[in-house]
Coordinates of all heavy atoms in Angstrom, one line a residue:
A1 N 0.2 2.7 13.0 CA 0.7 1.4 12.6 C 1.8 0.9 13.4 O 2.4 -0.2 13.1 CB 1.1 1.4 11.1
G2 N 2.2 1.6 14.5 CA 3.2 1.2 15.4 C 4.6 1.6 15.0 O 4.8 2.4 14.1
A3 N 5.5 1.0 15.7 CA 6.9 1.4 15.5 C 7.5 0.9 14.2 O 7.2 -0.2 13.8 CB 7.8 0.9 16.7
P4 N 8.3 1.7 13.5 CA 8.9 1.3 12.2 C 9.7 0.0 12.3 O 9.7 -0.8 11.4 CB 9.8 2.5 11.9 CG 9.3 3.6 12.6 CD 8.7 3.1 13.8
D5 N 10.3 -0.3 13.5 CA 11.2 -1.5 13.5 C 10.3 -2.8 13.7 O 10.9 -3.8 13.7 CB 12.2 -1.4 14.6 CG 11.7 -1.1 16.0 OD1 10.5 -1.2 16.2 OD2 12.5 -0.9 16.9
K6 N 9.0 -2.6 13.7 CA 8.1 -3.8 13.7 C 8.1 -4.4 12.3 O 7.7 -5.6 12.1 CB 6.7 -3.4 14.0 CG 6.3 -3.5 15.4 CD 4.8 -3.0 15.6 CE 3.8 -3.4 14.7 NZ 2.4 -3.0 15.0
Y7 N 8.5 -3.6 11.3 CA 8.4 -4.0 9.9 C 9.8 -4.3 9.3 O 10.6 -3.3 9.3 CB 7.6 -3.0 9.1 CG 6.3 -2.7 9.7 CD1 6.1 -1.6 10.6 CD2 5.1 -3.5 9.4 CE1 4.9 -1.4 11.2 CE2 3.9 -3.2 9.9 CZ 3.8 -2.2 10.8 OH 2.5 -1.9 11.4
F8 N 10.0 -5.4 8.7 CA 11.3 -5.7 8.1 C 11.3 -5.3 6.7 O 10.3 -5.2 6.0 CB 11.6 -7.2 8.2 CG 11.7 -7.7 9.6 CD1 10.7 -8.5 10.2 CD2 12.8 -7.4 10.4 CE1 10.8 -8.9 11.5 CE2 12.9 -7.8 11.7 CZ 11.9 -8.6 12.3
E9 N 12.5 -4.9 6.2 CA 12.7 -4.6 4.8 C 12.2 -5.7 3.9 O 12.5 -6.9 4.2 CB 14.2 -4.2 4.6 CG 14.4 -3.6 3.2 CD 15.9 -3.3 3.1 OE1 16.5 -2.6 4.0 OE2 16.4 -3.6 2.0
G10 N 11.5 -5.4 2.9 CA 11.1 -6.4 1.9 C 9.8 -7.0 2.3 O 9.4 -8.0 1.7
T11 N 9.0 -6.4 3.2 CA 7.7 -6.9 3.6 C 6.6 -6.1 3.2 O 6.7 -4.8 3.0 CB 7.6 -7.1 5.2 OG1 7.9 -5.8 5.8 CG2 8.7 -8.1 5.6
V12 N 5.5 -6.7 3.0 CA 4.2 -6.1 2.6 C 3.2 -6.5 3.7 O 2.9 -7.7 3.8 CB 3.7 -6.5 1.2 CG1 2.3 -5.8 0.9 CG2 4.7 -6.1 0.2
T13 N 2.7 -5.6 4.5 CA 1.9 -5.9 5.6 C 0.5 -5.4 5.4 O 0.3 -4.2 5.1 CB 2.4 -5.3 6.9 OG1 3.8 -5.8 7.1 CG2 1.6 -5.8 8.1
F14 N -0.5 -6.3 5.5 CA -1.9 -5.9 5.3 C -2.5 -5.4 6.6 O -2.5 -6.1 7.6 CB -2.7 -7.1 4.8 CG -4.2 -6.8 4.5 CD1 -4.5 -5.7 3.7 CD2 -5.2 -7.6 5.1 CE1 -5.9 -5.4 3.5 CE2 -6.5 -7.3 4.9 CZ -6.9 -6.2 4.1
L15 N -2.9 -4.1 6.6 CA -3.5 -3.5 7.8 C -5.0 -3.6 7.6 O -5.6 -2.8 6.9 CB -3.0 -2.1 8.0 CG -1.5 -1.9 8.0 CD1 -1.2 -0.4 8.2 CD2 -0.9 -2.7 9.2
A16 N -5.6 -4.7 8.1 CA -7.0 -5.1 7.7 C -8.0 -4.0 8.1 O -8.9 -3.7 7.4 CB -7.3 -6.4 8.3
K17 N -7.8 -3.4 9.3 CA -8.7 -2.5 9.8 C -8.9 -1.3 8.8 O -10.0 -0.7 8.7 CB -8.2 -1.9 11.1 CG -9.2 -1.1 11.9 CD -8.6 -0.9 13.3 CE -9.4 0.2 14.0 NZ -8.8 0.7 15.2
H18 N -7.9 -0.9 8.1 CA -8.0 0.2 7.2 C -7.9 -0.2 5.7 O -7.8 0.7 4.8 CB -6.9 1.3 7.5 CG -7.1 1.7 9.0 ND1 -8.1 2.5 9.4 CD2 -6.4 1.5 10.1 CE1 -8.0 2.8 10.7 NE2 -7.0 2.2 11.1
S19 N -7.8 -1.5 5.5 CA -7.7 -2.0 4.1 C -6.5 -1.3 3.4 O -6.7 -0.8 2.3 CB -9.0 -1.8 3.4 OG -9.0 -2.7 2.2
V20 N -5.3 -1.4 4.0 CA -4.2 -0.8 3.4 C -3.0 -1.7 3.5 O -2.9 -2.5 4.4 CB -3.8 0.5 4.3 CG1 -2.4 1.0 4.0 CG2 -4.8 1.6 4.0
F21 N -2.1 -1.7 2.5 CA -0.9 -2.4 2.6 C 0.2 -1.4 3.0 O 0.4 -0.4 2.3 CB -0.5 -3.0 1.2 CG -1.4 -4.2 0.8 CD1 -2.4 -4.0 -0.1 CD2 -1.3 -5.4 1.4 CE1 -3.2 -5.1 -0.5 CE2 -2.1 -6.5 1.1 CZ -3.1 -6.3 0.1
L22 N 1.0 -1.8 4.0 CA 2.2 -1.0 4.4 C 3.4 -1.8 3.8 O 3.6 -2.9 4.2 CB 2.2 -0.9 5.9 CG 3.3 0.0 6.4 CD1 3.2 1.4 5.9 CD2 3.4 0.0 7.9
V23 N 4.1 -1.1 2.9 CA 5.2 -1.7 2.2 C 6.5 -1.1 2.8 O 6.7 0.1 2.9 CB 5.2 -1.4 0.7 CG1 6.4 -2.0 0.0 CG2 3.8 -1.9 0.1
R24 N 7.4 -2.0 3.2 CA 8.8 -1.5 3.6 C 9.8 -2.1 2.6 O 9.9 -3.3 2.5 CB 9.1 -1.9 5.0 CG 10.5 -1.3 5.4 CD 10.9 -1.4 6.8 NE 12.0 -0.5 7.1 CZ 12.5 -0.3 8.3 NH1 12.0 -0.9 9.3 NH2 13.5 0.6 8.5
D25 N 10.5 -1.2 1.9 CA 11.5 -1.7 1.0 C 12.8 -1.0 1.4 O 12.9 -0.3 2.4 CB 11.1 -1.5 -0.5 CG 10.8 0.0 -0.8 OD1 11.3 0.9 -0.1 OD2 10.1 0.2 -1.8
A26 N 13.8 -1.1 0.5 CA 15.1 -0.5 0.9 C 15.1 1.0 1.0 O 15.9 1.6 1.7 CB 16.1 -0.9 -0.2
E27 N 14.1 1.6 0.4 CA 14.0 3.1 0.5 C 13.3 3.6 1.7 O 13.6 4.7 2.2 CB 13.3 3.7 -0.8 CG 14.1 3.5 -2.1 CD 13.3 4.1 -3.2 OE1 13.3 5.3 -3.4 OE2 12.5 3.3 -3.9
G28 N 12.3 2.8 2.2 CA 11.5 3.3 3.3 C 10.1 2.7 3.3 O 10.0 1.5 2.8
F29 N 9.2 3.5 3.7 CA 7.8 3.0 3.8 C 6.9 3.7 2.8 O 7.0 4.9 2.5 CB 7.2 3.4 5.2 CG 7.8 2.5 6.3 CD1 8.9 2.9 7.0 CD2 7.2 1.3 6.6 CE1 9.4 2.1 8.1 CE2 7.7 0.5 7.6 CZ 8.8 0.9 8.3
R30 N 6.0 2.9 2.2 CA 4.9 3.4 1.4 C 3.6 2.7 1.8 O 3.7 1.6 2.4 CB 5.2 3.0 -0.1 CG 6.4 3.6 -0.7 CD 6.7 3.2 -2.1 NE 7.0 1.8 -2.2 CZ 6.3 0.9 -2.9 NH1 5.2 1.3 -3.5 NH2 6.7 -0.3 -3.0
A31 N 2.5 3.3 1.5 CA 1.2 2.6 1.8 C 0.3 2.7 0.6 O 0.2 3.7 -0.1 CB 0.5 3.4 3.0
L32 N -0.2 1.5 0.3 CA -1.1 1.4 -0.9 C -2.5 1.0 -0.4 O -2.6 0.1 0.5 CB -0.7 0.4 -1.9 CG 0.5 0.7 -2.8 CD1 1.8 0.3 -2.2 CD2 0.3 0.1 -4.1
S33 N -3.5 1.5 -1.0 CA -4.9 1.0 -0.8 C -5.0 -0.4 -1.2 O -4.5 -0.8 -2.2 CB -5.9 1.9 -1.6 OG -7.2 1.3 -1.5
A34 N -5.7 -1.2 -0.4 CA -6.0 -2.6 -0.8 C -7.4 -2.7 -1.4 O -7.8 -3.9 -1.7 CB -5.9 -3.5 0.5
T35 N -8.0 -1.6 -1.8 CA -9.3 -1.7 -2.4 C -9.2 -1.5 -3.9 O -8.7 -0.5 -4.4 CB -10.2 -0.5 -1.8 OG1 -10.2 -0.6 -0.4 CG2 -11.6 -0.6 -2.4
C36 N -9.7 -2.6 -4.5 CA -9.6 -2.6 -6.0 C -10.4 -1.4 -6.6 O -11.5 -1.1 -6.2 CB -10.1 -3.9 -6.5 SG -10.1 -4.1 -8.3
T37 N -9.8 -0.8 -7.6 CA -10.4 0.3 -8.2 C -11.5 -0.1 -9.3 O -12.1 0.8 -9.9 CB -9.4 1.2 -8.9 OG1 -8.6 0.4 -9.9 CG2 -8.4 1.8 -7.9
H38 N -11.7 -1.4 -9.4 CA -12.8 -1.8 -10.3 C -14.1 -1.7 -9.5 O -14.9 -0.7 -9.6 CB -12.6 -3.2 -10.8 CG -13.7 -3.7 -11.7 ND1 -14.2 -5.0 -11.6 CD2 -14.4 -3.1 -12.7 CE1 -15.1 -5.2 -12.5 NE2 -15.3 -4.0 -13.2
L39 N -14.4 -2.6 -8.6 CA -15.7 -2.6 -7.9 C -15.5 -2.7 -6.4 O -16.4 -3.0 -5.6 CB -16.6 -3.7 -8.4 CG -17.1 -3.6 -9.8 CD1 -18.0 -4.8 -10.2 CD2 -17.9 -2.3 -10.0
G40 N -14.2 -2.5 -5.9 CA -14.0 -2.4 -4.5 C -13.7 -3.6 -3.7 O -13.7 -3.6 -2.5
C41 N -13.4 -4.7 -4.3 CA -12.9 -5.9 -3.6 C -11.6 -5.6 -3.0 O -10.9 -4.7 -3.4 CB -12.8 -7.1 -4.5 SG -14.4 -7.7 -5.1
T42 N -11.2 -6.4 -2.0 CA -9.9 -6.3 -1.4 C -8.9 -7.1 -2.1 O -9.1 -8.3 -2.3 CB -10.0 -6.8 0.1 OG1 -10.9 -5.9 0.8 CG2 -8.6 -6.7 0.8
V43 N -7.8 -6.5 -2.6 CA -6.8 -7.2 -3.4 C -5.9 -8.0 -2.4 O -5.8 -7.7 -1.2 CB -6.0 -6.2 -4.3 CG1 -7.0 -5.5 -5.2 CG2 -5.2 -5.2 -3.5
K44 N -5.2 -9.0 -3.0 CA -4.3 -9.8 -2.2 C -2.9 -9.5 -2.7 O -2.6 -9.3 -3.9 CB -4.5 -11.3 -2.5 CG -6.0 -11.7 -2.3 CD -6.3 -11.9 -0.8 CE -7.7 -12.4 -0.6 NZ -8.5 -11.6 0.2
A45 N -1.9 -9.5 -1.7 CA -0.5 -9.3 -2.1 C 0.1 -10.5 -2.7 O -0.2 -11.6 -2.2 CB 0.2 -8.9 -0.8
L46 N 0.8 -10.3 -3.7 CA 1.6 -11.4 -4.3 C 3.1 -11.1 -4.1 O 3.4 -10.0 -3.6 CB 1.3 -11.5 -5.8 CG -0.1 -11.6 -6.3 CD1 -0.3 -11.5 -7.8 CD2 -0.7 -12.9 -5.8
D47 N 4.0 -11.9 -4.6 CA 5.4 -11.6 -4.5 C 5.8 -10.4 -5.3 O 6.7 -9.6 -4.9 CB 6.3 -12.8 -5.0 CG 6.2 -14.0 -4.0 OD1 5.8 -13.7 -2.9 OD2 6.6 -15.1 -4.4
D48 N 5.1 -10.1 -6.4 CA 5.5 -9.0 -7.3 C 4.4 -8.1 -7.6 O 4.4 -7.5 -8.6 CB 6.1 -9.6 -8.6 CG 5.0 -10.5 -9.3 OD1 4.0 -10.8 -8.7 OD2 5.3 -10.8 -10.4
G49 N 3.4 -8.0 -6.7 CA 2.3 -7.0 -6.9 C 1.1 -7.4 -6.2 O 1.2 -8.0 -5.1
F50 N -0.1 -7.2 -6.8 CA -1.4 -7.4 -6.1 C -2.3 -8.0 -7.1 O -2.3 -7.7 -8.3 CB -1.9 -6.1 -5.5 CG -0.9 -5.5 -4.6 CD1 0.0 -4.5 -5.0 CD2 -0.9 -5.8 -3.2 CE1 0.9 -3.9 -4.2 CE2 0.0 -5.2 -2.4 CZ 0.9 -4.3 -2.8
D51 N -3.2 -8.8 -6.6 CA -4.2 -9.5 -7.5 C -5.6 -9.4 -6.9 O -5.8 -9.5 -5.7 CB -3.8 -11.0 -7.5 CG -4.7 -11.9 -8.2 OD1 -4.9 -11.7 -9.4 OD2 -5.3 -12.8 -7.6
C52 N -6.5 -9.1 -7.7 CA -7.9 -9.0 -7.2 C -8.6 -10.3 -7.5 O -8.7 -10.7 -8.6 CB -8.7 -7.8 -7.9 SG -10.3 -7.7 -7.2
P53 N -9.2 -10.9 -6.4 CA -9.8 -12.2 -6.6 C -11.2 -12.1 -7.3 O -11.7 -13.1 -7.7 CB -10.0 -12.7 -5.1 CG -10.1 -11.5 -4.3 CD -9.2 -10.5 -5.0
C54 N -11.8 -10.9 -7.3 CA -13.1 -10.8 -7.9 C -13.2 -10.9 -9.4 O -14.0 -11.8 -9.9 CB -13.8 -9.5 -7.4 SG -14.1 -9.5 -5.6
H55 N -12.5 -10.1 -10.1 CA -12.5 -10.2 -11.6 C -11.2 -10.2 -12.2 O -11.0 -10.0 -13.4 CB -13.3 -9.0 -12.1 CG -14.6 -8.8 -11.4 ND1 -14.8 -7.8 -10.4 CD2 -15.8 -9.4 -11.4 CE1 -16.0 -7.9 -9.9 NE2 -16.7 -8.8 -10.5
G56 N -10.1 -10.5 -11.4 CA -8.8 -10.8 -12.0 C -7.9 -9.7 -12.3 O -6.9 -9.9 -13.0
S57 N -8.2 -8.5 -11.8 CA -7.3 -7.4 -12.1 C -5.9 -7.7 -11.4 O -5.9 -8.3 -10.4 CB -7.8 -6.1 -11.6 OG -8.9 -5.6 -12.4
R58 N -4.9 -7.2 -12.1 CA -3.5 -7.4 -11.6 C -2.9 -6.0 -11.5 O -3.0 -5.2 -12.4 CB -2.6 -8.2 -12.5 CG -2.9 -9.7 -12.4 CD -2.2 -10.3 -11.2 NE -0.8 -9.8 -11.0 CZ 0.3 -10.6 -11.0 NH1 0.2 -11.9 -11.2 NH2 1.5 -10.1 -10.8
F59 N -2.1 -5.8 -10.4 CA -1.4 -4.5 -10.2 C 0.0 -4.9 -9.9 O 0.3 -5.9 -9.2 CB -2.0 -3.8 -8.9 CG -3.5 -3.5 -9.0 CD1 -4.4 -4.5 -8.6 CD2 -4.0 -2.3 -9.5 CE1 -5.8 -4.2 -8.7 CE2 -5.3 -2.0 -9.6 CZ -6.2 -3.0 -9.2
D60 N 0.9 -4.0 -10.3 CA 2.3 -4.2 -10.0 C 2.6 -3.8 -8.6 O 1.8 -3.4 -7.8 CB 3.3 -3.6 -11.1 CG 3.3 -2.1 -11.0 OD1 2.8 -1.5 -10.0 OD2 3.8 -1.5 -11.9
A61 N 3.9 -3.9 -8.2 CA 4.3 -3.6 -6.8 C 4.0 -2.2 -6.4 O 4.0 -1.8 -5.2 CB 5.7 -4.0 -6.6
Q62 N 3.9 -1.3 -7.4 CA 3.6 0.1 -7.1 C 2.2 0.4 -7.2 O 1.7 1.6 -7.1 CB 4.4 1.0 -8.2 CG 5.7 1.5 -7.7 CD 6.7 0.4 -7.6 OE1 6.8 -0.4 -8.6 NE2 7.5 0.3 -6.6
G63 N 1.4 -0.6 -7.5 CA -0.1 -0.4 -7.6 C -0.6 0.0 -9.0 O -1.8 0.2 -9.1
Q64 N 0.3 0.0 -9.9 CA -0.1 0.3 -11.3 C -0.8 -0.9 -11.9 O -0.5 -2.0 -11.7 CB 1.1 0.7 -12.2 CG 1.9 1.9 -11.6 CD 1.1 3.2 -11.5 OE1 0.5 3.6 -12.5 NE2 1.0 3.7 -10.3
V65 N -1.8 -0.6 -12.7 CA -2.6 -1.6 -13.4 C -1.8 -2.4 -14.4 O -1.2 -1.8 -15.3 CB -3.9 -1.1 -14.0 CG1 -4.7 -2.2 -14.7 CG2 -4.8 -0.3 -13.0
E66 N -1.7 -3.7 -14.2 CA -1.0 -4.5 -15.3 C -2.1 -5.1 -16.2 O -1.8 -5.3 -17.4 CB -0.2 -5.6 -14.6 CG 1.1 -5.1 -14.0 CD 1.9 -6.2 -13.4 OE1 1.4 -7.3 -13.1 OE2 3.1 -6.0 -13.3
S67 N -3.2 -5.5 -15.6 CA -4.3 -6.0 -16.4 C -5.6 -5.7 -15.7 O -5.7 -5.7 -14.5 CB -4.2 -7.5 -16.7 OG -4.2 -8.2 -15.6
G68 N -6.6 -5.3 -16.5 CA -7.9 -4.9 -16.0 C -8.8 -6.1 -15.6 O -8.3 -7.2 -15.5
P69 N -10.0 -5.8 -15.2 CA -10.8 -4.6 -15.6 C -10.6 -3.3 -14.7 O -11.2 -2.3 -15.0 CB -12.3 -5.0 -15.5 CG -12.2 -6.1 -14.4 CD -10.9 -6.8 -14.6
A70 N -9.7 -3.4 -13.7 CA -9.5 -2.2 -12.9 C -9.1 -1.0 -13.8 O -8.2 -1.1 -14.6 CB -8.5 -2.4 -11.8
P71 N -9.8 0.2 -13.7 CA -9.5 1.3 -14.5 C -8.4 2.2 -14.1 O -7.8 3.0 -14.8 CB -10.8 2.1 -14.5 CG -11.4 1.8 -13.2 CD -11.0 0.4 -12.8
K72 N -8.0 2.1 -12.8 CA -7.0 3.0 -12.2 C -6.1 2.3 -11.3 O -6.4 1.3 -10.7 CB -7.7 4.1 -11.5 CG -8.6 5.1 -12.3 CD -9.1 6.3 -11.6 CE -10.1 5.9 -10.5 NZ -10.7 7.0 -9.8
P73 N -4.9 2.9 -11.0 CA -4.0 2.3 -10.1 C -4.6 2.3 -8.6 O -5.5 3.0 -8.4 CB -2.8 3.2 -10.1 CG -2.9 4.1 -11.3 CD -4.4 4.1 -11.6
L74 N -4.0 1.5 -7.8 CA -4.3 1.5 -6.4 C -3.7 2.8 -5.8 O -2.5 3.1 -6.0 CB -3.7 0.3 -5.6 CG -4.1 -1.0 -6.1 CD1 -3.2 -2.1 -5.4 CD2 -5.6 -1.3 -5.8
P75 N -4.5 3.6 -5.1 CA -4.0 4.9 -4.6 C -2.9 4.6 -3.5 O -3.0 3.7 -2.8 CB -5.2 5.6 -4.0 CG -6.4 4.9 -4.5 CD -5.9 3.5 -4.9
C76 N -1.9 5.5 -3.5 CA -0.9 5.5 -2.4 C -1.3 6.6 -1.4 O -1.8 7.7 -1.7 CB 0.4 5.9 -3.0 SG 1.0 4.7 -4.2
F77 N -1.1 6.3 -0.1 CA -1.4 7.2 0.9 C -0.2 7.7 1.6 O 0.9 7.0 1.6 CB -2.3 6.5 2.0 CG -3.6 6.0 1.5 CD1 -4.0 4.7 1.6 CD2 -4.5 6.9 0.9 CE1 -5.2 4.2 1.1 CE2 -5.7 6.4 0.4 CZ -6.1 5.1 0.5
E78 N -0.3 8.9 2.2 CA 0.9 9.4 2.9 C 1.2 8.6 4.2 O 0.2 8.1 4.9 CB 0.5 10.9 3.4 CG 1.7 11.6 4.0 CD 1.4 13.0 4.5 OE1 1.4 13.9 3.6 OE2 1.1 13.2 5.6
V79 N 2.4 8.4 4.4 CA 2.9 7.7 5.6 C 3.8 8.8 6.3 O 4.7 9.4 5.7 CB 3.7 6.5 5.4 CG1 4.0 5.7 6.7 CG2 3.0 5.5 4.4
R80 N 3.6 9.0 7.6 CA 4.5 9.9 8.4 C 4.7 9.3 9.8 O 4.0 8.4 10.2 CB 3.9 11.3 8.4 CG 2.6 11.4 9.0 CD 2.1 12.9 9.0 NE 0.9 13.1 9.7 CZ -0.4 13.0 9.1 NH1 -0.5 12.8 7.8 NH2 -1.4 13.2 9.8
L81 N 5.6 10.0 10.5 CA 5.9 9.6 11.8 C 5.1 10.5 12.8 O 5.1 11.8 12.6 CB 7.4 9.6 12.1 CG 8.2 8.6 11.4 CD1 9.7 8.8 11.7 CD2 7.9 7.2 11.9
T82 N 4.5 10.0 13.8 CA 3.9 10.8 14.8 C 5.0 11.4 15.8 O 6.2 11.0 15.7 CB 2.9 10.0 15.7 OG1 3.7 9.0 16.4 CG2 1.9 9.3 14.8
D83 N 4.6 12.3 16.6 CA 5.6 12.9 17.6 C 6.3 11.8 18.4 O 7.4 11.9 18.8 CB 4.9 13.9 18.5 CG 4.5 15.1 17.7 OD1 5.0 15.3 16.6 OD2 3.7 15.9 18.2
S84 N 5.5 10.7 18.7 CA 6.1 9.6 19.5 C 6.9 8.6 18.7 O 7.4 7.6 19.2 CB 5.0 8.9 20.3 OG 4.1 8.3 19.3
G85 N 7.0 8.9 17.4 CA 7.8 8.0 16.5 C 7.1 6.8 15.9 O 7.8 5.9 15.4
A86 N 5.8 6.8 16.0 CA 5.0 5.7 15.4 C 4.7 6.0 14.0 O 4.6 7.2 13.6 CB 3.7 5.5 16.2
L87 N 4.5 5.0 13.2 CA 4.0 5.2 11.8 C 2.6 5.5 11.7 O 1.8 4.9 12.4 CB 4.3 3.9 11.0 CG 5.7 3.5 10.7 CD1 5.8 2.1 10.3 CD2 6.3 4.5 9.7
L88 N 2.2 6.5 10.9 CA 0.8 6.8 10.7 C 0.5 6.8 9.2 O 1.2 7.5 8.5 CB 0.5 8.2 11.3 CG -0.9 8.7 11.1 CD1 -1.8 8.1 12.1 CD2 -1.0 10.2 11.2
V89 N -0.4 6.0 8.8 CA -0.9 6.0 7.4 C -2.1 6.9 7.4 O -3.1 6.7 8.0 CB -1.3 4.6 6.9 CG1 -1.8 4.6 5.5 CG2 0.0 3.7 7.1
D90 N -2.0 8.0 6.6 CA -3.1 9.0 6.5 C -3.9 8.7 5.2 O -3.5 9.1 4.1 CB -2.6 10.4 6.5 CG -3.7 11.4 6.6 OD1 -4.9 11.1 6.3 OD2 -3.4 12.6 6.9
T91 N -5.1 7.9 5.4 CA -5.8 7.5 4.2 C -6.6 8.7 3.6 O -7.3 8.5 2.7 CB -6.8 6.4 4.6 OG1 -7.6 6.8 5.7 CG2 -6.0 5.1 4.9
T92 N -6.5 9.9 4.2 CA -7.2 11.1 3.6 C -6.3 11.8 2.7 O -6.7 12.7 2.0 CB -7.7 12.0 4.7 OG1 -6.6 12.6 5.4 CG2 -8.6 11.3 5.8
K93 N -5.0 11.4 2.7 CA -4.0 12.1 1.8 C -3.4 11.2 0.8 O -2.6 10.3 1.1 CB -2.9 12.7 2.7 CG -3.4 13.8 3.6 CD -2.2 14.6 4.1 CE -2.8 15.8 5.0 NZ -1.9 16.2 6.0
I94 N -3.9 11.3 -0.4 CA -3.3 10.5 -1.5 C -2.1 11.2 -2.1 O -2.0 12.4 -2.2 CB -4.4 10.4 -2.6 CG1 -5.5 9.5 -2.1 CG2 -3.8 9.7 -3.9 CD1 -6.7 9.3 -3.1
V95 N -1.0 10.4 -2.2 CA 0.3 10.9 -2.7 C 0.7 10.2 -4.0 O 0.0 9.2 -4.4 CB 1.3 10.7 -1.6 CG1 1.0 11.5 -0.4 CG2 1.5 9.2 -1.3
G96 N 1.7 10.7 -4.6 CA 2.2 10.1 -5.9 C 2.8 8.8 -5.6 O 3.2 8.5 -4.5
K97 N 3.0 7.9 -6.7 CA 3.5 6.6 -6.5 C 5.0 6.7 -6.1 O 5.5 5.7 -5.6 CB 3.3 5.7 -7.7 CG 4.1 6.2 -8.9 CD 3.8 5.3 -10.1 CE 4.5 5.7 -11.4 NZ 5.9 5.9 -11.3
D98 N 5.6 7.8 -6.2 CA 7.0 7.9 -5.9 C 7.2 8.3 -4.4 O 8.4 8.4 -3.9 CB 7.8 8.9 -6.8 CG 7.8 8.5 -8.2 OD1 7.8 7.2 -8.4 OD2 7.8 9.3 -9.1
F99 N 6.1 8.6 -3.7 CA 6.3 9.0 -2.3 C 6.9 7.8 -1.5 O 6.6 6.7 -1.7 CB 4.9 9.3 -1.7 CG 4.9 9.5 -0.2 CD1 5.0 10.8 0.2 CD2 4.8 8.5 0.7 CE1 5.1 11.0 1.6 CE2 4.8 8.7 2.0 CZ 5.0 10.0 2.5
V100 N 7.8 8.2 -0.6 CA 8.4 7.2 0.3 C 8.7 7.9 1.6 O 9.2 9.1 1.6 CB 9.6 6.5 -0.3 CG1 10.7 7.4 -0.6 CG2 10.0 5.3 0.6
L101 N 8.4 7.3 2.7 CA 8.9 7.8 4.0 C 10.2 7.2 4.3 O 10.3 6.0 4.6 CB 7.9 7.6 5.1 CG 8.4 7.9 6.5 CD1 8.4 9.4 6.7 CD2 7.4 7.3 7.6
K102 N 11.3 7.9 4.3 CA 12.6 7.4 4.7 C 12.7 7.4 6.2 O 12.4 8.4 6.8 CB 13.7 8.2 4.0 CG 13.7 8.2 2.5 CD 14.8 9.0 1.9 CE 14.6 9.3 0.5 NZ 14.5 8.2 -0.4
V103 N 13.2 6.3 6.8 CA 13.4 6.3 8.2 C 14.8 5.9 8.6 O 15.4 5.2 7.8 CB 12.4 5.4 8.9 CG1 11.0 5.9 8.9 CG2 12.4 4.0 8.4
Ligands
LIG1 FE1 -11.3 -6.1 -8.5 FE2 -13.4 -6.3 -10.1 S1 -13.4 -5.7 -8.1 S2 -11.3 -6.7 -10.6

């Protein structure tokens, strides 16, 4: 996902190629799946969470379900730094919602 300083604090960046949101907040970086856990539509970022345009599911900023029909939270993926200092979102590694990469 490139260098950490590409992303400003308080931003949510949609990485379309991998259908992932990269979130940078005061603590660091987190990555959330953009794929709705209902039937797989791509959710949209809002100021305070995520919204699915297909059947109206709402998720909070941590990806937890606020209203269905989505049955499960948006998974969080591991974010780490490569040897060259770039951000890497590993969509094969699901982590807890408290995971954060501090930089
Ligand atoms: Fe998201 Fe149905 S696919 S609410």
Side-chain angles (χ1 to χ4, degrees):
D5 60 8
K6 268 177 42 178
Y7 304 93
F8 296 107
E9 189 177 313
T11 57
V12 177
T13 305
F14 180 52
L15 305 177
K17 190 171 167 191
H18 301 291
S19 199
V20 164
F21 290 105
L22 185 62
V23 178
R24 183 169 197 178
D25 59 21
E27 293 181 82
F29 286 94
R30 298 180 289 118
L32 282 93
S33 169
T35 303
C36 182
T37 56
H38 180 222
L39 294 177
C41 290
T42 300
V43 301
K44 309 279 184 238
L46 306 171
D47 286 345
D48 58 348
F50 303 91
D51 175 61
C52 183
C54 291
H55 312 100
S57 289
R58 281 282 315 242
F59 303 87
D60 69 14
Q62 268 69 46
Q64 301 299 303
V65 178
E66 286 185 333
S67 62
K72 294 189 293 186
L74 300 172
C76 297
F77 299 123
E78 184 180 282
V79 187
R80 60 180 185 267
L81 290 172
T82 66
D83 291 344
S84 62
L87 290 165
L88 178 79
V89 178
D90 189 342
T91 57
T92 68
K93 290 194 179 156
I94 293 178
V95 295
K97 66 179 176 58
D98 295 330
F99 174 91
V100 65
L101 172 71
K102 297 180 193 304
V103 290

